[in-house]
Amino acid sequence: MTADHIPVVTAPGPPDFQLHSLGWRAFQDLCIAILREVLNQSIQPFTDSSDGGRDGAFHGHWRSDSTEFGIPSAACVVQCKHTNASATLAPSSLKGEFRKISKLVAKGMCEAYILMTNARLTGTSEERICEQLRSLGVLFPMVLGDQWMNQTIAANQSLRMLAPRVYGLGDLSQILDERAYTQSRTFLSYLQGDLSTFVSTSSYLQSVEALRDHGFVLLLGEPAAGKSTIASALAASAIDAWRCSVIVAHDAVEALNHWNPHEPRQLFWVDDAFGSVRHERTMTDEWRRRLPQIMAAVEAGARFVLTSRDYIYKEARQYLKEHSFPPLGDSQIVVSVEDLNRDERKQILYNHLRQGDQTRNFLTWIKPYLDEAATVEPFRPEIARRLGAKRFTKSVVPTRTSVINFMAKPKGFLRDVYAEMDPGQIGALSLVYAAGRLPSPLHLNDQQRETLEQIGCTSSEVTRALSMLAGTFFRYGLFGSGDEYQSWSFRHPTLREGFAAFVVGEPHLLELFLAGLNDASDLSQVDADNSHLSGTLVRIPPYLYRQLAEHLKAIRHSIPNLTAWASYCRFLAYSCSRGFLSLYMEVDPDLVHSLMDFKPLLSYSPEIDVLAKLRTVGLLDEDVREHVLRKIRELTLNYPDASWFNEIDFRLLLDPLEFLAIFRSASGSLIPRLDEILRDWTSRAPAHGDRFEYYRPLSNSLFSFQQVLRSDDSAVHALERALRRIDEITGEAVRNRASGLEYSRYALRATSASVSERSIFDDLDNK
C-alpha cells in the first residue's frame, strides 16, 4: 500500500471500532474480508456440524508471497474468536480450541494456525498462547488481536468500502485525513446511526461497482427497503476512498447549482429523485432536461447517487430519454436493493436488534422467532430497525405470531403507536409533516400556533417532543448545501406516510391540515383522489372537497413564481379525481383560461398536464382544445419546439392525425427557414455562459423533427446540416467540460459469508 493511500490519524490514541458490538457472525465476515482483501489469502469455511473439530474455523493453503508474517506455504487453519465485551485474551479461554488443534495437527491439516480475535492481547498472553500452540505441533502460530484488527481497518480504504459499517462504529477522525474529516464531520455524524447497523449486501457491492465505473447509480426499491442506507454507505465510502465532498441535494437543479467543474471530487446524493410519495413529473423533467450537464459533470469526475421507489421510477422512466444516457437504458447503473439473500436479511435484523435499545429480556424472549421473522415477504430493513426500538414495540408480546406480524404487517402497529402519543408529540409530528423540514430553532407562524392551539399543546411541549422523538421518528441535522440550516424531518418516508394515514382517521387533524393550506408547496402533502394505491398522502374525503376547492382558488390567485405554479398544476394533474375537478371548476370558473398562457418549451409547460387530465376525464370543452391545438402548432413551427414529441400528455390531448399533421407541415414551413432560425438563435446567444445548454432546446427539437420526417430525405439532410453547425458552435465548450476525468480504481471482491448451522441470533442477548 502506498503512503498516499494511508489515512492520516488525527485523533489521539489507537483506532477503536468497537468490534465487540458486531456479533459473532459479522466479526467472522470481517475476518474473511481481511484475509481476502488485505492478506490476499483464499480460505474455505466449514459448518459447525461437520467440521471435524474446526468450530467456526476456516482452512486453506497459506500463500507465502503475500504476507508480512513470515509464514511459508503451509496447510493453515484460521480461527475467529469473538467476545461480546472488551476483555483480555488468556490461554485459559482457549482450552477447547487446544483440544481440537491436536487432532488437526495429527491429520497434517494445521501446520499454521492463525487466531483472529477482537479481544485485547498483551505481549505475555500472546507469547503463552503461541508456546502452547507449538507444543501441540503447530509450526507457525499467529495471534492477531484487537489492536492489529483495528489498525488494519484504519489503514485499508478498500476494506472499509467493502465493510462500511465501520464508519458507524469508530471515531471517524481515526480513518479520514484531516481535510476530509473537517469537511464531512457533521454530515457523517448525521449518518452514523444508519452506518452502525449496515450490512454489506450484494446490492451494495453492485452499487459500488456502478459508482466506480460509471460515476452514477440509481437505487430502486419498495418503501423501507434500505435505499437511503445504501446511499449513506456509498457517501461515507466516497469521502474516505475518493476524498469526495458530499452534497445532499433535493433535485437535479440543486445538484447542478452546486457542481464545481474545478472541484472534480464531488458526490451528489439525491433521495427520492423523481418524487417522494408519488411520481412528480416536474422533477423527472428536470433530470431529463439536464442529463447532458450531468453527463458532463460525471465525465469531469463528479459522482451521483439517486434513490427512488420502484413504482415511482416505473412511471418516471417513460418520460426519461434513456438514449441520452445509455447506462440508464441498459441497467448498468440501476440497482434493486431488495435482492437480499437469507443470510443478509438475518444479519440486517441482528444488527438493528443489537444496536437498538431493547432490554436483554426482550431479546431473549423473541430470539426463538427471529430466524423465521427474517424470511417474511417483503422483508423491510426499516421495519427491522423498528423492532429494535422500544418506542415501536409496546404492543409486541413474546410470541411467534406477534413477532412475525410486526415484521409482515407494520402499518397496524404504527397506527397504534401514533394513537398512544400525547398532544405535544402529535403537535410535533403535525408541524414536521406540514413543513417537510421544520427549521430549528422553532419560530412559529400564526397558522402553526393556531394548529398547536387546536391540538391542545404549547410550543414548549412541541420542542420537548421533537427532542424525545429524535432518532426514532425524526432526524435532526444540516439541510442544504450552501446556506445550511438545522432542521427536523421524518427519519424515514414510511413514518411520514404512516402519520398521513393516521390523520385521515382523526377528523379534527384532517380539518387542521386543510385549514393550513396556504401556498402551492403545501399541496404536495394532500391527495384529492382516493383511487391511488401507492404512496400515502393526507387523503381528503369528498365531504371536504368544497373546502379544499376554496383554498385552491385562493392559492391560484396568490401564486408568486413559476415553481409554485408548477406545484399547483402538478396537484391538479396527478392528485385529483374527476369528482373534485368538476367541483373545483364550478368554484373557480377561470381555471381553464389561466391554463392557456403556456410558452416554449412545451414539454416543460405544466399547463399541458392539467389540460390533458381535463380531457381524459371529459371536462375539457372541444373549442378550448382546438384553441390549444392551434397554439401548439404555432410554437412548434416558429420557435421551433419539438420537445414534446414523445410526451404522453400530448398524446392524450391531441388526436393521432392532429399530432402527425403538425410535424408533417414542418417540411414546407420549417425546413426552408433553418438558416434563418439558426442565425436568429446565434444573434441572441449570451456573451457568457454555457453555449451547450443555450443551444440544447434547438438541437433536441431538430433531432425530433429528423425522427418524424425520416422518410423525407431532403428534410433529413437539411436538419443534419443544421445539427452539425450547432455541434461546431458548442463543441469546444463540451470538450472543455469533459476534460479532467479521474477515477480511483480498486479491486472489488465480495466477502463470502461462511456456512454455519449456528443461528446468527445465538449471541444476540449477550450484550
Side-chain angles (χ1 to χ4, degrees):
M1 178 176 293
T2 59
D4 59 341
H5 284 104
I6 299 177
V8 177
V9 177
T10 58
D16 180 9
F17 293 98
Q18 303 176 43
L19 299 179
H20 65 277
S21 66
L22 288 176
W24 75 268
R25 175 59 175 274
F27 179 74
Q28 182 172 283
D29 290 342
L30 176 62
C31 291
I32 297 173
I34 291 174
L35 285 165
R36 291 184 174 173
E37 285 296 312
V38 180
L39 302 179
N40 199 24
Q41 299 296 328
S42 298
I43 57 175
Q44 177 180 337
F46 285 87
T47 63
D48 292 342
S49 60
S50 59
D51 66 357
R54 292 175 290 270
D55 184 19
F58 307 87
H59 88 122
H61 200 80
W62 192 263
R63 291 182 53 181
S64 61
D65 60 344
S66 58
T67 177
E68 62 194 45
F69 299 147
I71 300 176
S73 296
C76 179
V77 170
V78 179
Q79 177 75 42
C80 305
K81 186 170 185 60
H82 180 259
T83 62
N84 289 307
S86 184
T88 300
L89 185 67
S92 58
S93 62
L94 297 173
K95 289 181 179 179
E97 303 306 325
F98 291 152
R99 285 193 295 269
K100 300 173 188 176
I101 291 170
S102 296
K103 299 177 183 178
L104 297 173
V105 170
K107 294 178 181 180
M109 301 179 67
C110 190
E111 296 173 289
Y113 183 88
I114 313 296
L115 177 63
M116 303 177 75
T117 179
N118 67 306
R120 286 197 301 264
L121 187 65
T122 66
T124 301
S125 61
E126 179 184 14
E127 183 178 352
R128 291 174 59 196
I129 292 170
C130 288
E131 286 178 356
Q132 181 67 32
L133 289 170
R134 290 189 187 96
S135 71
L136 296 172
V138 176
L139 301 177
F140 309 104
M142 179 64 62
V143 184
L144 306 175
D146 69 326
Q147 186 174 355
W148 184 90
M149 297 285 290
N150 282 302
Q151 289 177 342
T152 298
I153 294 170
N156 286 271
Q157 293 170 339
S158 62
L159 175 65
R160 296 195 296 274
M161 181 163 276
L162 291 174
R165 186 180 177 190
V166 297
Y167 297 118
L169 298 178
D171 184 344
L172 292 169
S173 65
Q174 300 279 10
I175 55 177
L176 301 179
D177 64 35
E178 187 172 0
R179 171 182 173 274
Y181 178 69
T182 301
Q183 289 183 343
S184 307
R185 176 177 49 202
T186 304
F187 172 74
L188 285 175
S189 64
Y190 180 72
L191 299 177
Q192 275 195 300
D194 289 340
L195 294 172
S196 67
T197 58
F198 186 76
V199 175
S200 185
T201 63
S202 57
S203 297
Y204 166 74
L205 297 174
Q206 185 182 349
S207 302
V208 171
E209 191 168 4
L211 195 61
R212 180 200 66 191
D213 293 341
H214 302 289
F216 197 107
V217 65
L218 171 60
L219 304 171
L220 297 181
E222 290 187 353
K227 300 179 294 296
S228 296
T229 303
I230 289 181
S232 66
L234 291 172
S237 298
I239 292 170
D240 183 12
W242 297 322
R243 297 298 187 263
C244 286
S245 58
V246 175
I247 296 172
V248 182
H250 174 67
D251 53 25
V253 176
E254 185 177 347
L256 288 173
N257 283 344
H258 290 94
W259 174 53
N260 181 359
H262 304 294
E263 178 59 46
R265 292 174 177 171
Q266 289 179 292
L267 182 138
F268 298 93
W269 173 6
V270 186
D271 257 336
D272 301 315
F274 310 108
S276 59
V277 178
R278 305 274 176 76
H279 174 233
E280 296 188 24
R281 172 71 179 279
T282 54
M283 296 180 71
T284 301
D285 286 344
E286 288 298 343
W287 285 109
R288 183 190 62 186
R289 186 182 196 177
R290 297 174 184 273
L291 267 178
Q293 290 173 280
I294 291 168
M295 290 179 65
V298 170
E299 289 173 354
R303 292 172 169 85
F304 286 80
V305 178
L306 276 59
T307 73
S308 177
R309 297 185 179 191
D310 45 10
Y311 67 85
I312 292 177
Y313 179 64
K314 184 177 181 181
E315 186 172 348
R317 189 172 181 177
Q318 60 189 321
Y319 298 102
L320 292 168
K321 293 183 178 178
E322 294 178 348
H323 63 78
S324 298
F325 193 34
L328 193 63
D330 60 17
S331 301
Q332 294 180 57
I333 61 169
V334 180
V335 177
S336 174
V337 304
E338 297 171 6
D339 298 332
L340 300 172
N341 63 41
R342 181 184 61 180
D343 289 336
E344 290 170 346
R345 291 175 173 215
K346 290 180 180 180
Q347 188 67 65
I348 290 170
L349 182 55
Y350 178 97
N351 288 359
H352 283 298
L353 289 167
R354 186 64 180 257
Q355 296 294 325
D357 63 356
Q358 298 288 9
T359 65
R360 183 172 180 175
N361 283 341
F362 180 85
L363 296 177
T364 301
W365 288 337
I366 69 171
K367 191 165 68 168
Y369 317 116
L370 294 178
D371 282 293
E372 184 180 355
T375 67
V376 300
E377 294 292 348
F379 178 84
R380 302 176 179 90
E382 169 63 16
I383 309 307
R385 183 187 70 83
R386 294 178 199 171
L387 187 60
K390 293 179 183 177
R391 184 83 202 186
F392 293 100
T393 55
K394 292 181 179 179
S395 58
V396 175
V397 294
T399 66
R400 172 192 173 278
T401 300
S402 183
V403 174
I404 300 302
N405 283 345
F406 183 91
M407 292 294 295
K409 304 173 183 178
K411 289 186 177 179
F413 283 95
L414 195 54
R415 279 195 300 270
D416 292 342
V417 170
Y418 286 127
E420 294 175 354
M421 290 187 170
D422 60 41
Q425 294 168 339
I426 294 296
L429 290 161
S430 299
L431 293 185
V432 174
Y433 183 91
R437 293 186 181 273
L438 185 67
S440 178
L442 203 59
H443 296 293
L444 302 180
N445 58 35
D446 291 341
Q447 181 60 50
Q448 289 171 323
R449 280 192 288 270
E450 183 178 345
T451 296
L452 297 186
E453 183 178 343
Q454 294 190 43
I455 290 174
C457 62
T458 64
S459 60
S460 60
E461 289 173 328
V462 167
T463 299
R464 286 196 297 272
L466 287 168
S467 298
M468 185 183 304
L469 299 178
T472 51
F473 289 85
F474 297 140
R475 286 189 186 274
Y476 178 71
L478 290 178
F479 176 68
S481 308
D483 298 326
E484 296 166 326
Y485 61 89
Q486 300 281 354
S487 65
W488 296 95
S489 60
F490 275 96
R491 192 185 187 283
H492 195 275
T494 56
L495 292 171
R496 181 173 176 270
E497 290 182 73
F499 186 67
F502 169 74
V503 166
V504 174
E506 303 291 325
H508 69 291
L509 287 177
L510 189 57
E511 296 202 23
L512 280 177
F513 270 94
L514 200 53
L517 295 178
N518 293 320
D519 58 55
S521 63
D522 295 334
L523 295 173
S524 64
Q525 315 293 333
V526 299
D527 182 0
D529 184 356
N530 291 284
S531 66
H532 284 295
L533 297 178
S534 298
T536 304
L537 300 171
V538 172
R539 291 175 176 169
I540 306 301
Y543 75 87
L544 290 175
Y545 275 1
R546 183 166 293 276
Q547 187 176 342
L548 175 60
E550 295 289 351
H551 278 287
L552 204 58
K553 179 181 179 180
I555 287 172
R556 184 176 71 79
H557 285 286
S558 60
I559 286 178
N561 52 48
L562 291 176
T563 300
W565 174 248
S567 298
Y568 167 82
C569 291
R570 183 166 62 246
F571 175 75
L572 292 176
Y574 303 113
S575 298
C576 295
S577 66
R578 185 189 190 284
F580 174 77
L581 288 171
S582 179
L583 175 62
Y584 179 52
M585 291 175 72
E586 293 178 14
V587 172
D588 190 1
D590 293 332
L591 168 65
V592 173
H593 177 74
S594 71
L595 299 171
M596 303 302 290
D597 189 27
F598 52 87
K599 299 178 177 64
L601 295 165
L602 287 169
S603 62
Y604 304 115
S605 300
E607 301 89 349
I608 296 294
D609 300 340
V610 185
L611 291 167
K613 175 64 176 281
L614 293 177
R615 191 192 188 202
T616 301
V617 299
L619 295 175
L620 187 66
D621 292 340
E622 184 59 23
D623 59 339
V624 173
R625 194 188 71 84
E626 290 180 356
H627 176 78
V628 171
L629 174 60
R630 289 193 294 272
K631 189 164 185 179
I632 290 174
R633 184 182 186 280
E634 176 185 341
L635 290 173
T636 299
L637 299 177
N638 293 335
Y639 182 68
D641 178 9
S643 62
W644 56 275
F645 172 58
N646 290 314
E647 297 294 333
I648 293 175
D649 290 329
F650 285 86
R651 305 286 177 135
L652 299 174
L653 191 58
L654 277 62
D655 293 332
L657 291 178
E658 295 169 339
F659 175 87
L660 291 174
I662 291 177
F663 282 91
R664 285 173 178 167
S665 64
S667 294
S669 60
L670 173 66
I671 301 303
R673 299 173 41 246
L674 283 177
D675 290 341
E676 174 189 342
I677 289 170
L678 191 53
R679 284 195 300 270
D680 182 54
W681 275 71
T682 303
S683 66
R684 291 185 281 110
H688 304 285
D690 191 332
R691 284 178 290 169
F692 182 86
E693 179 66 16
Y694 171 74
Y695 282 97
R696 183 189 51 77
L698 177 61
S699 180
N700 287 349
S701 289
L702 296 185
F703 178 78
S704 295
F705 280 119
Q706 249 192 339
Q707 305 309 301
V708 178
L709 302 174
R710 56 183 176 272
S711 60
D712 185 337
D713 290 343
S714 62
V716 169
H717 290 320
L719 289 163
E720 184 62 33
R721 285 194 299 271
L723 287 168
R724 281 201 301 268
R725 177 58 183 147
I726 294 173
D727 287 343
E728 291 172 2
I729 296 171
T730 62
E732 182 181 354
V734 175
R735 282 194 299 274
N736 286 343
R737 175 166 291 181
S739 64
L741 177 63
E742 180 181 345
Y743 286 128
S744 297
R745 300 273 177 176
Y746 66 94
L748 178 64
R749 297 188 183 95
T751 59
S752 301
S754 62
V755 180
S756 176
E757 294 183 3
R758 177 186 178 189
S759 172
I760 191 175
F761 303 104
D762 182 56
D763 64 344
L764 178 64
D765 50 351
N766 294 333
K767 284 191 172 184

